[in-house]
Amino acid sequence: MIPRVALPWRNGLRLRVPSGSRGCSSSSHNTLRNDDGRPIVISPPLVSLDIPDDWAPSPAHSCFSSPISSSNEQTATVIDGKFIADEIRTRIGSEVRRMKEGIGMVPGLAVIVVGHRRDSQTYVRNKMMACAEVGIKSMVAQLPEDCTKDQLLGALSSFDADPSVHGILVQLPLPQHLDEGKVLDVLRPEKDVDGFHPLNMGNLAMRGREPLFIPCTPKGCIEMLLRSGVEIAGKKATVIGRSNIVGLPTSLLLQRHHATVSIVHAFTKNPELITCEADIVVTAAGVPNLVRGNWLKPGAVVIDVGTNPVEDPSSEHGYRLTGDVCYEEAVRVASAITPVPGGVGPMTIAMLLSNTLDSAKRVYAFT
Ligand code: NAD
């Protein structure tokens, strides 16, 4: 049986500004201002970007540094994303209560959803429930499948003007007649809790810059690695997938943490040769069982973002969710792996709540 444990973590939840951190005091070129001209105070993300460039490898052993044999008996440690996310959510809940008691305000999240895709409806419902659980106010604008760009922009600007809304997200994908890029451009970076605005993404890409928000799924992946005691600096990492929402920002974040990053995508020849060199593999291709056991270096840490419905007549809805990794093979080779479901998914929602809380703290200068 595969051990499913929550790992001891070295990095506690960092909801406050660590002393000496650059996180709160952005440099002048990065200072954004509210409409009334007050500078926006940048609270640090859970995943800190404040990592010195001149690092020395830590003598401390990582949890996963022991040599791994490739015998059939070997099973990886399962990184329990749900457990880690629950911990984070509990801390966010207490921060929201502290804010309410201290200044009588709570964070607010607005979600715009277009059409009635079943998966989008489920994701939105889960986000709303998670908000309610931690005391974040949430609201949804449900627009018809054939809504016009102006209707969508109208919903965006009314949430934008609402001071009780600190984060706005547009549930993707949008129907084809709506240009996602143009819509995201209109969303102000100060409320872009998904971190997809070009200004936030650009600041993530540039050393010495701080985005206001880091995209939730990539942030959740790094947070899981850190909290599981996985050393990132100096390690080889392969990211499979280069989408704007997962692959690209994940590779940027890993670089900010001083990994040497290779990116594999649909046009990459012999992807297994690149993947099998990696100490850390993050896969977000959307292809079930793409990564086989023999793609992995023994002892690699595997973060499986893939969430793919596959037919399964024995399950209640006729399908089940599976990752990009052939789990049964990978657990015999990897030292640690995230399950699907129960790995990255819960972390994504926890990071959304965290970004929304950070945004409200920034607006109210609440520390
Ligand atoms: P996408 O379709 O936008 O991007 C997929 C990427 O994978 C592309 O860059 C493509 O080049 C690459 N790719 C496709 N086939 C490949 C192959 N055979 N070999 C190598 N690379 C290949 O998808 P996305 O939005 O980035 O999502 C990827 C997966 O992650 C999906 O399964 C999605 O459901 C899942 N996802 C999960 C969460 C979560 O919270 N758990 C969040 C977002 C996405």
Side-chain angles (χ1 to χ4, degrees):
M1 176 154 158
I2 299 159
R4 187 184 175 98
V5 296
L7 299 161
W9 45 71
R10 297 175 312 193
N11 301 284
L13 186 69
R14 279 169 282 157
L15 285 171
R16 304 207 183 158
V17 185
S19 62
S21 164
R22 218 175 34 198
C24 209
S25 55
S26 58
S27 53
S28 57
H29 58 255
N30 200 30
T31 303
L32 289 169
R33 292 176 185 278
N34 283 324
D35 290 342
D36 60 6
R38 278 183 302 128
I40 293 170
V41 182
I42 297 183
S43 0
L46 285 170
V47 171
S48 174
L49 295 177
D50 187 19
I51 303 158
D53 213 359
D54 51 340
W55 64 279
S58 159
H61 286 295
S62 101
C63 286
F64 307 115
S65 59
S66 57
I68 300 291
S69 83
S70 56
S71 102
N72 278 348
E73 298 306 313
Q74 183 67 52
T75 56
T77 303
V78 177
I79 300 177
D80 190 337
K82 185 170 178 322
F83 185 92
I84 299 174
D86 284 349
E87 283 278 329
I88 293 172
R89 281 158 68 147
T90 302
R91 294 293 296 269
I92 291 172
S94 56
E95 282 295 285
V96 171
R97 275 195 302 281
R98 194 171 68 83
M99 179 182 269
K100 194 171 180 185
E101 285 160 16
I103 58 171
M105 301 291 187
V106 294
L109 174 70
V111 179
I112 299 175
V113 53
V114 182
H116 287 91
R117 278 177 65 116
R118 250 176 55 188
D119 54 351
S120 292
Q121 296 292 333
T122 306
Y123 293 142
V124 170
R125 203 169 40 247
N126 290 343
K127 287 167 187 171
M128 301 294 105
M129 277 162 48
C131 281
E133 197 186 286
V134 298
I136 291 178
K137 180 182 132 189
S138 67
M139 57 217 91
V140 185
Q142 171 70 62
L143 300 176
E145 178 82 26
D146 60 353
C147 84
T148 63
K149 183 177 137 213
D150 285 347
Q151 282 175 302
L152 177 52
L153 296 186
L156 262 178
S157 58
S158 77
F159 284 139
D160 199 19
D162 183 342
S164 73
V165 172
H166 307 97
I168 303 172
L169 71 84
V170 180
Q171 185 66 41
L172 301 178
L174 290 173
Q176 280 204 331
H177 68 281
L178 297 165
D179 182 335
E180 281 180 9
K182 289 208 175 110
V183 171
L184 294 176
D185 282 353
V186 171
L187 180 59
R188 271 196 308 143
E190 293 92 329
K191 293 195 179 186
D192 168 38
V193 279
D194 258 342
F196 297 156
H197 189 281
L199 190 63
N200 282 322
M201 197 68 86
N203 281 336
L204 179 62
M206 295 171 76
R207 281 211 70 75
R209 299 249 182 179
E210 300 285 337
L212 290 169
F213 302 102
I214 299 174
C216 301
T217 302
K219 185 175 174 180
C221 293
I222 303 298
E223 195 66 34
M224 270 197 293
L225 289 171
L226 296 176
R227 283 168 179 262
S228 304
V230 176
E231 191 109 35
I232 302 175
K235 294 290 158 60
K236 284 188 184 169
T238 295
V239 179
I240 305 180
R242 57 174 173 177
S243 69
N244 286 346
I245 65 170
V246 191
L248 172 67
T250 301
S251 65
L252 295 173
L253 260 183
L254 284 164
Q255 285 192 74
R256 298 263 315 219
H257 284 259
H258 304 310
T260 301
V261 182
S262 303
I263 295 160
V264 165
H265 50 79
F267 292 87
T268 304
K269 295 205 166 74
N270 303 321
E272 66 283 4
L273 297 182
I274 299 166
T275 307
C276 75
E277 289 191 341
D279 304 299
I280 298 167
V281 176
V282 181
T283 175
V287 180
N289 296 324
L290 173 71
V291 178
R292 306 298 302 264
N294 60 7
W295 283 38
L296 298 171
K297 175 175 167 178
V301 176
V302 180
I303 306 289
D304 191 352
V305 182
T307 313
N308 311 300
V310 294
E311 259 184 57
D312 182 358
S314 67
S315 72
E316 194 189 334
H317 301 292
Y319 74 94
R320 68 188 158 80
L321 293 178
T322 184
D324 289 349
V325 177
C326 181
Y327 190 83
E328 295 71 21
E329 293 179 6
V331 285
R332 296 196 167 83
V333 187
S335 60
I337 188 167
T338 58
V340 178
V344 176
M347 290 298 289
T348 298
I349 294 186
M351 295 301 107
L352 175 65
L353 302 176
S354 157
N355 280 355
T356 307
L357 172 64
D358 282 350
S359 183
K361 283 183 166 185
R362 193 180 289 143
V363 167
Y364 300 130
F366 182 80
T367 52

